[in-house]
Structures are given as structure tokens and as C-alpha cells.
Amino acid sequence: MELRHLRTFRVVARTLNFTRAAGELHYAQSSVTEQIQALEAELGSKLFDRGRQLRLTAAGERLLGYADRMLSLAEEAKAAVEENRGEPEGELTIGALETLCAQWIPEILSEYRAKWPRVRLTLTEGGRGELYRAVRQSEVDVCFTFGAPPADPAFASESLGEEPLVVLVPPGHSLADKETLTPADLRGVGFLATPQGCGFREMLDRLDGPVIETEVGSIAALGRCVAAGMGCGLVPALAGHGGAVAVPLAGATTAVTMTWRKRDEQKPNVAALLARVRA
């Protein structure tokens, strides 16, 4: 079985959509279809039911675990060869939350690229769950998120510090002139929130008082909606404010967490990134 066919199969199995898988892999959709058909022909089994909604067959479910293990073993073999060369090179994929991609990661990657120009960098953005899944499936080498590290024995994680949280309020709002806010100040106040599963949504849900009135798909959009007067929002201090007023929330912080696969710690390009971030 060709590794590229297994990689394509794994992305299709995750997205359950040939078009979306083709976009992620930067292939033509016809190429994705041909690779899946070639894999099915080699195995003598259908891997997907192609009804109104694409889904894995029982054979596809069984293959998925093996595909993960085979691709992981291929990555380990590559890492072992790279380790002998010593100097970082090849590909390195970094994943991060939207805010970290925009405000924090670029300087680190610029310094990394200047020192290790033979490494081809890819930066991908996603939600916390998406990023952990991508690390687990070897699609991302290192990811950066807010909040506590994932509880997965295959992962290694490191807290890089605490980021203060602020409440975004519309200009002219009754809370806009306060130097700091407490949770008591937020009781009954209308808030915009990111979707369920986002770390900031979880933090907001834990506060006793804010009334979530609207969901917004991104931190950047949330800031602009707050500035337009739609409500307040809870975001990290380093996020863009979009014209809203940022007021610190007393004692509220979130950890910035770096996560990678334990087995990748000795890959030169990963080890170099970890060292650069720590520095």
C-alpha cells in the first residue's frame, strides 16, 4: 500500500467529504477519488459507502487504525534518518488558534526560518479540538493553544505562560470607563461568545452572570461585533479588539500551551522549534 494513498484515505475518513479532503491535500478531487479507488482495488473491499452522505464501511473503520499506525511508523523512520543528519530540514507544520496565529506565532516563525532556512514551514489555523486531532494524526508537528494541556499519553505539553483575559465592551457602554472588572460586574450583561468547544466559551460559561445572546465564529469577528454595539465579549488581551474597548477582568488568565507528540521530541526540526519557543 502506498503511503500517499493511506494519507489521502485518512483525510477523507476524517472529513467524510471528497471535495474538502482534496482542498486540504491540495489535490484535484479526481486525484483523491482515484487514490481511494486504487486502495479499495488493492484491498478488495469498499472503504466508503457513497450514499447521500459519505461514511466509512466496516472495512474502512478497521483500516483507519492501521493507517494511523503505518503512517506514524513512517514518520518515526523519517525522524530517525533526519536525526542522523543533525541539522533541521524538511517540512515542519505548526498549528495554532486564530489569535495566536495572528498575534504571537509570526515572530517565532520568522526567527526560526532565519536560523533554519532548509526547513519548509507550514502554519495552519484551527480550533483546539481540530489541532489536537491533527497532532495525533501526524498532520501537525506542534500546536499552540490556550488552556490546560490535553490528557493524552501520546502527547507532551508545556505551558509557556499566562495570558490575561479582558472583557471587550462597546464604546460608550456603562462598563467602558472601569479600570478593571469583576465577575459580579458581568451579571445580566449581554455577551457574544465563540462556539461550544472553544476555550473562551468554556471560560465564559463558568462565570456566573453573563447572558450569552449571540454566537460568533471567530475572535476577530467577535471584536468587530462588540464594537458595533451587539454586546460584550471575553478574549485574551493579545487579541485584536476591532474598535471595542478592552477592560481587564480581575484575576482572569489562561495558559498558552505548546503540544507535540512525545516520539517527535528528537526530530531536529521539531526540537529546534521547541528550543526557539522556550527561548
Side-chain angles (χ1 to χ4, degrees):
M1 284 178 280
E2 294 187 33
L3 290 178
R4 68 189 183 98
H5 290 173
L6 290 175
R7 290 192 184 96
T8 297
F9 164 72
R10 189 167 63 178
V11 175
V12 175
R14 173 168 53 80
T15 61
L16 294 178
N17 186 292
F18 280 92
T19 302
R20 195 153 57 242
E24 286 192 24
L25 293 164
H26 305 293
Y27 290 155
Q29 184 174 336
S30 58
S31 177
V32 171
T33 302
E34 288 168 4
Q35 290 185 48
I36 296 300
Q37 288 174 341
L39 192 56
E40 289 177 327
E42 184 174 1
L43 294 171
S45 296
K46 287 292 184 183
L47 300 175
F48 295 95
D49 281 332
R50 296 165 173 80
R52 291 183 59 187
Q53 184 174 0
L54 194 70
R55 65 183 182 86
L56 283 166
T57 62
E61 293 279 4
R62 288 193 295 271
L63 177 63
L64 186 56
Y66 287 102
D68 284 339
R69 288 155 58 188
M70 292 166 72
L71 291 170
S72 293
L73 186 60
E75 286 290 325
E76 289 180 21
K78 182 180 176 184
V81 173
E82 288 176 348
E83 186 177 354
N84 288 334
R85 289 199 300 260
E87 183 173 331
E89 60 180 323
E91 298 182 0
L92 181 67
T93 301
I94 299 98
L97 300 176
E98 168 200 5
T99 300
L100 294 173
C101 275
Q103 305 292 340
W104 189 72
I105 296 290
E107 183 177 352
I108 291 171
L109 295 191
S110 178
E111 293 172 354
Y112 183 96
R113 186 174 182 182
K115 188 170 183 179
W116 307 112
R118 295 173 65 183
V119 178
R120 184 166 66 254
L121 296 172
T122 299
L123 177 60
T124 183
E125 177 186 305
R128 189 173 55 176
E130 293 175 275
L131 294 173
Y132 291 156
R133 182 172 58 249
V135 171
R136 187 178 298 109
Q137 295 181 348
S138 302
E139 296 170 1
V140 164
D141 294 297
V142 183
C143 76
F144 298 88
T145 59
F146 290 117
D152 189 320
F155 289 168
S157 292
E158 190 170 319
S159 176
L160 304 174
E162 295 289 323
E163 175 66 15
L165 299 181
V166 298
V167 176
L168 297 186
V169 300
H173 192 279
S174 60
L175 300 178
D177 293 331
K178 288 184 173 286
E179 291 187 4
T180 60
L181 295 170
T182 67
D185 295 319
L186 308 181
R187 290 197 183 103
V189 176
F191 266 72
L192 295 89
T194 46
Q196 293 285 354
C198 171
F200 297 108
R201 174 61 176 269
E202 293 172 4
M203 294 177 215
L204 186 59
D205 286 340
R206 287 197 294 268
L207 294 175
D208 182 20
V211 178
I212 297 175
E213 297 178 340
T214 306
E215 282 195 0
V216 181
S218 72
I219 294 289
L222 187 148
R224 291 191 290 271
C225 288
V226 170
M230 291 178 61
C232 299
L234 182 69
V235 300
L238 59 72
H241 300 159
V245 178
V247 185
L249 182 60
T253 64
T254 182
V256 179
T257 302
M258 175 169 66
T259 300
W260 63 97
R261 293 182 301 279
K262 287 180 181 178
R263 66 173 183 270
D264 288 347
E265 289 178 347
Q266 300 307 314
K267 290 174 64 175
N269 52 7
V270 172
L273 178 66
L274 301 182
R276 176 62 261 162
V277 173
R278 289 167 183 146

